[in-house]
Amino acid sequence: STFNQPMQNSLLWFYEGQTQYWGYVLSARSGLVSLADSRESLAQTAAWLAARSGRAWRNLQDTTNEPIVSRRAHQDWRSWQRSEDYYDEGSLIWLDVDTQMRALSANKASLNDLARQFFGVESGRTRTLPYTFADVVQALNAVAPFNWAAFLRQRLDGHDPSALLDGLTRSGWRLVYRDQPSEYAKGVEATRKFTSFAYSLGFDLDKDGKLTQVLWDSPAFRAGLAPSAHLVAVNGIAYKPELLREAVTQAKNGGGVELLIKAADRYRTVNIDYRGGLRYPTLERIEGAPDRLTQILSAMP
């Protein structure tokens, strides 16, 4: 609580995770972002985290040490190394908490209540007001009694891949993949000037064809591709995004995808035996389940 004490960062998943979560929620409630785009943004976040191979060895709690030990340096293999995932994965934890509260209380309690009670205290105070994990658990129990300590520790310390999407499932939606990107995803790619094949071949490219990321243990990774290489040609023809999309689609019939890669001053041909077609994340309603996500994202009465 003073500059004379070393930083611990152990609760970054709480305050940065909630910052991310409320960013989704309040931008939708205010009308700044449509419900459809809010869902698609959440789908992108969930898919990106679900593809994190590094979740098998590094838990979320450990990522809160990242700003202390790494100086926020660039990571070539972020999907394996993991970085400051307490932002985005933290937001999914708070969706998990919010939907659990609503389920426990028949929609009489939610994270709205936690925010009012936990943050809206001591109006006018200018001194820091530190808190601990126990304080967070106590505040959650005051809103909706539950074994929140075990609930949170499972998600912070564990490696169970299914827990990542529990909040989405309880919200009435599931993460699925389709062969066409959403309008939201198209807009993100156009704005940021990149093309994603992350959930098919396993890499993203910038506007010049440079591989900006390669997902660990993806088809591209297993074929020996690495970030910073350049894609020059696809099946013998100069690379264009639409050409690679067509090649991935055609590969469903067999034959794979042949890429000409330039790394430094060397060229080589790489064959990727991938037949799963194009895959882009989106959210799909779970039939018969309460639509808590729309409740959360809608303007409050």
Side-chain angles (χ1 to χ4, degrees), residues 254-297:
V257 181
E258 182 184 279
L259 306 178
L260 178 61
I261 299 294
K262 180 178 184 291
D265 58 353
R266 295 182 178 273
Y267 292 81
R268 65 189 177 100
T269 298
V270 175
N271 290 287
I272 302 181
D273 185 17
Y274 171 75
R275 306 183 188 189
L278 295 169
R279 297 177 78 244
Y280 300 97
T282 189
L283 296 187
E284 177 182 84
R285 275 286 284 129
I286 300 173
E287 187 176 353
D291 187 358
R292 295 190 176 98
L293 183 58
T294 298
Q295 294 172 2
I296 289 169
L297 297 178

